[in-house]
């Protein structure tokens, strides 16, 4: 029996595909530092489980399709802090940012249409977009340039009659590239000139380091009718297993169309929504602490990476990822070596080969994504293991 | 800015579209009996919130994309009670039955292909299938025949080269029609002869009344490679707000293809999964009690409906819905009358007009779906209000 053409086009998660080999390595007694997946070790704020434990309804009922009103109001207040004004009807609570992205693509993309997206990109975009029959047109970026893409020269030549949207993940996964508000304004201008939507994936919004200010496409009222914001509690509140995301837009057609999809799937977890209300009401100090923690981790990894001869990367400005060019020809082969052959005092490290983050064939073969989701000591040790691994691997290859 | 053609094809939930008018009626002081929505008042078993309250992880992490292993094992044991053998790799835990259906259609349907589905049908099938670019080819059934459809005469003439699957909701929403195992076998035979999948939506599995035994397409090993079972905790355990569903199949291609979609959306609510483990381990006595409760409600509604001159319906065999032909020409107009003009001692009733449950234009205009989700007294009173309403409505129209 055959399956659909669309699922044949989809790929298994390149981030998860080495998991079985890592499991085997662990069964053989190796300790594996997991720098491959965006699952932070930062504690979920207590208010999440606290609110759930205080929830005393005897029937766990459907929530409204657009979301629990108290959660919507908390989100409205959260955005107000940054000077952004939204109403309940501007948002739909979704099953994580994942559903918000899928819903956005289903709502605006016809089969055969394209979105612009800087590569390397968060690999699941490919699956979400394939669900809607769309194609990614990659804006190729480079480690040497800090993966920047917000220029007319890079974006405009790629726009054609099939282009429907410019998608911006900022702060970026997997590169850590952060758009400034001026860069967002430029992208808004380009979008307006070519009548495109902007998908603003801002799930790492507060994780912008050094002197970067929080920036959002929601801060540009002149482009409000074409901006669709994707948000999530997963990273901001270290609550990845709480599947609470948001689709937000001031475009009424987009929202009422997306609501048809939302109504059909009835609602999002009532309990997770109850838990998430308090998250959006956390004080500024919460963000300051978490940001300082990630920033320290970034500095530690960057420092360690700079000790490896031949490594290319710029210090990333945000999120908790770093895409790094390594002095090896084939990173997948190197990862297999790390899991199956290498160890230092019984320890090894896992990272995500970056090839799966590129749409252009052949790119990213010598790059990896590191998620700095572990504490500084573990991040330093993981980075050290990469350094020692490269030495051992290139020695093995006779280099 | 335009939205996609697919969302333009989708409809707003016909079940939810009268909600604003009902809200207005309530604001005007009317009590409204809600027989329109499948939200039962039966208590969610305590183990659901109990397990969640005992969950003490400090980080709410991603679960595995296929589901929490302990939940998968509980589901395996639940199916074993009925003599059905499944493995972990045969199932994916989904965001409710809704996501399981969407995933199934995305996995097997190419744009332009068709599924067979008895009408009236659960209206959200239209949206799920439109997501995959598919079309519903309705098997038209009638109130007079108890909405039965499991015959070669009804099914085979509708099969053409675009047909990919026969979908069976059994026990059925919105009709309460229940397939016997022999009828399932016949459908299996037809599916095999024409190389079709079977989507077996069995979320009401245990709600089969009178002498009907629990039946499942999973009990027919000879068709296992073409059967995709849709399951959910929502109705069986009165936990609609816990978005836990299941996609189950022994077809390896289907499951590995669906897993690509599952991996991209990462996972289902960790907390809801923790809560659901115990649900699947509830003893037989739980099912006996709940079934007796719904069966009593069905009998009460049926008895009251039979008191209304001109009503056509057969006593439904399962689920908690009844589709009833009323002696009025336009049920939507009648519902507006009930909400805006009618009351009896300050009370009125809401039901779902059945037109939205049909794919064939013009059908169902004189039919309603009643969900017997309230206690017997409320169901009797709601039914009485329908009777009194019909009298008043037809009097107003001069009939």
């Amino acid at each position: 029996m055959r399956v659909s053409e669309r699922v044949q086009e989809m790929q298994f998660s390149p981030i998860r595909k080495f998991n079985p080999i890592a499991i085997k390595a662990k069964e053989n007694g190796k300790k594996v530092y997991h720098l491959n997946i965006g699952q932070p070790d930062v504690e979920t704020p207590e208010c999440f489980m606290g609110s759930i434990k205080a929830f005393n309804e005897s029937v766990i009922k459907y929530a409204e399709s657009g979301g629990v009103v108290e959660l919507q109001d908390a989100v409205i207040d959260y955005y107000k802090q940054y000077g952004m004004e939204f109403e309940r009807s501007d948002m739909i609570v979704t099953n994580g940012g994942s559903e918000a992205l899928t819903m956005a693509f289903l709502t605006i993309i016809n089969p055969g249409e394209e979105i612009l997206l800087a590569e390397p990109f968060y690999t699941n975009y490919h699956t979400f977009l394939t669900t809607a029959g769309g194609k990614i047109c990659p804006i190729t970026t480079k480690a040497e340039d800090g993966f920047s893409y917000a220029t007319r020269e890079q974006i405009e030549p790629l726009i054609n009659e099939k282009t429907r949207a410019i998608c911006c993940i900022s702060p970026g996964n997997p590169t850590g590239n952060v758009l400034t508000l001026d860069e967002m304004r430029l992208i808004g201008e380009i979008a307006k000139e070519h009548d495109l939507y902007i998908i603003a994936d801002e799930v790492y919004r507060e994780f912008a380091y050094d002197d970067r200010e929080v920036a959002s496409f929601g801060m540009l009222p002149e482009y409000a009718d074409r901006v669709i914001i994707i948000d999530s509690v997963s990273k901001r509140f270290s609550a990845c297993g709480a599947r609470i995301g948001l689709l937000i837009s001031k475009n009424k057609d987009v929202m009422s169309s997306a609501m048809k999809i939302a109504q059909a799937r009835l609602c999002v977890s009532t309990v997770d929504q109850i838990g998430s209300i308090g998250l959006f009401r956390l004080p500024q100090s919460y963000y300051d602490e978490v940001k300082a923690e990630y920033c320290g981790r970034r500095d530690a990894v960057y420092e360690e990476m700079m000790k490896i001869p031949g490594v290319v990367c710029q210090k990333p400005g945000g999120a908790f990822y770093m895409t790094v060019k390594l002095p090896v020809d084939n990173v997948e082969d190197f990862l297999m070596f790390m899991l199956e052959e290498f160890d230092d005092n019984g320890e090894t490290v896992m990272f995500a080969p970056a090839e799966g983050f590129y749409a252009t064939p052949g790119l990213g073969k010598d790059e990896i994504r590191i998620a700095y989701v572990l504490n500084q000591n573990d991040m330093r040790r993981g980075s050290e293991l990469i350094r020692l691994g490269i030495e051992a691997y290139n020695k093995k290859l006779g280099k």
Side-chain angles (χ1 to χ4, degrees), chain A:
Chain A
M1 308 215 50
R2 69 155 174 73
V3 293
S4 70
E5 285 157 25
R6 100 171 47 76
V7 285
Q8 293 177 52
E9 250 179 68
M10 291 174 181
Q11 54 187 0
F12 288 101
S13 165
I15 306 174
R16 295 189 174 209
K17 81 174 176 184
F18 290 89
N19 282 2
I21 300 149
I23 289 168
K24 221 175 270 173
K26 285 188 236 180
E27 283 169 358
N28 292 334
K30 261 188 221 179
K31 172 163 181 180
V32 180
Y33 288 83
H34 279 277
L35 313 187
N36 59 310
I37 193 162
Q39 170 58 64
D41 66 353
V42 171
E43 289 193 5
T44 311
E46 280 178 14
C47 65
F48 179 79
M49 283 308 295
S51 303
I52 291 174
K53 288 178 182 180
F55 182 65
N56 268 328
E57 299 286 327
S58 59
V59 184
I60 308 296
K61 287 189 188 158
Y62 287 127
E64 284 299 310
S65 296
V68 167
V69 164
E70 291 81 0
L71 175 57
Q72 291 182 323
D73 288 347
V75 172
I76 288 170
D77 290 344
Y78 157 83
Y79 274 93
K80 220 171 257 174
Q81 298 174 85
Y82 298 116
M84 293 182 266
E85 297 282 343
F86 290 107
E87 295 170 28
R88 288 178 193 163
S89 59
D90 298 331
M91 65 183 67
I92 294 173
V93 177
T94 57
N95 285 300
S98 307
E99 194 192 31
L101 280 165
T102 305
M103 242 183 221
F105 292 142
L106 286 172
T107 300
I108 64 167
I109 301 290
N110 284 325
E113 293 182 338
E114 297 180 2
I115 62 158
L116 298 183
L117 178 61
E119 70 176 348
F121 53 79
Y122 177 52
T123 169
N124 293 326
Y125 268 68
H126 182 265
T127 306
F128 304 145
L129 192 60
T130 303
T131 298
K135 306 268 173 231
I136 292 170
C137 173
I139 310 167
T140 305
T141 67
K142 289 182 182 161
E144 290 79 354
D145 308 330
F147 302 102
S148 62
Y149 62 94
T151 66
R152 280 193 184 269
E153 294 65 38
Q154 284 169 283
I155 296 172
E156 286 202 312
L158 300 171
I159 297 173
N160 62 52
E161 73 286 350
K162 288 182 184 169
T163 314
R164 294 294 298 146
I166 307 175
C167 296
C168 301
I169 314 177
S170 179
N173 174 7
T175 64
N177 180 270
V178 182
L179 295 176
T180 64
L181 196 55
D182 279 339
E183 289 175 320
M184 290 180 176
R185 197 170 281 123
L186 172 69
I187 290 169
E189 252 177 60
I190 298 172
K192 190 167 183 184
E193 286 163 24
H194 298 272
D195 197 23
L196 306 177
Y197 286 102
I198 295 165
I199 308 275
D201 181 342
E202 301 179 354
V203 302
Y204 299 93
R205 187 175 294 126
E206 283 78 7
F207 304 150
Y209 312 123
D210 311 319
D211 296 326
R212 292 173 179 84
E213 288 195 12
V214 168
S216 168
F217 278 98
M219 294 172 179
L220 307 172
E222 59 272 41
Y223 307 117
D225 61 327
R226 57 187 73 247
V227 169
I228 301 171
I229 296 176
I230 308 298
D231 211 333
S232 166
V233 303
S234 293
K235 312 296 177 171
R236 183 177 300 135
F237 304 115
S238 203
C240 297
R243 305 306 296 142
I244 298 296
L246 289 155
L247 179 79
I248 302 176
S249 181
K250 293 223 163 270
N251 183 309
K252 302 273 176 225
D253 286 344
V254 166
M255 292 313 291
S256 76
S257 301
M259 184 53 89
K260 294 178 183 174
I261 305 172
Q263 282 189 348
R265 61 74 163 125
L266 305 169
C267 71
V268 165
S269 167
T270 298
V271 165
D272 278 347
Q273 289 192 72
I274 297 296
S276 297
I277 297 167
L279 296 177
F280 283 98
R281 298 202 177 282
L282 287 167
Q284 186 55 41
S285 56
Y286 170 78
Y287 299 99
D288 295 342
E289 270 171 45
V290 173
K291 197 166 101 171
E293 174 63 32
Y294 284 119
C295 190
R297 294 173 180 193
R298 178 203 60 169
D299 292 343
V301 179
Y302 183 72
E303 202 179 297
E304 296 297 327
M305 284 297 122
M306 288 300 102
K307 292 180 187 165
I308 307 178
V311 152
V312 179
C313 80
Q314 288 206 5
K315 191 187 271 193
F320 42 65
Y321 305 99
M322 204 179 282
T323 294
V324 181
K325 190 175 282 208
L326 298 186
V328 299
D329 294 335
N330 185 324
V331 148
E332 295 208 357
D333 188 61
F334 172 52
L335 178 55
M336 289 296 288
F337 168 80
M338 292 301 283
L339 292 174
E340 293 187 331
E341 299 176 43
F342 175 83
D343 80 89
D344 180 65
N345 286 326
E347 299 184 335
T348 190
V349 62
M350 199 170 171
F351 43 76
E355 194 180 350
F357 296 87
Y358 284 86
T360 305
L363 293 184
K365 278 189 192 302
D366 57 353
E367 295 178 7
I368 64 169
R369 184 191 75 170
I370 295 173
Y372 42 99
V373 291
L374 308 180
N375 66 55
Q376 280 193 40
N377 285 341
D378 286 355
M379 291 310 304
R380 281 194 193 273
R381 174 63 177 154
S383 305
E384 183 185 30
L385 288 164
I386 293 174
R387 177 167 58 78
L388 297 171
I390 290 172
E391 283 168 20
Y393 178 70
N394 281 336
K395 198 168 163 188
K396 179 193 151 194
L397 294 185
K399 288 194 174 177

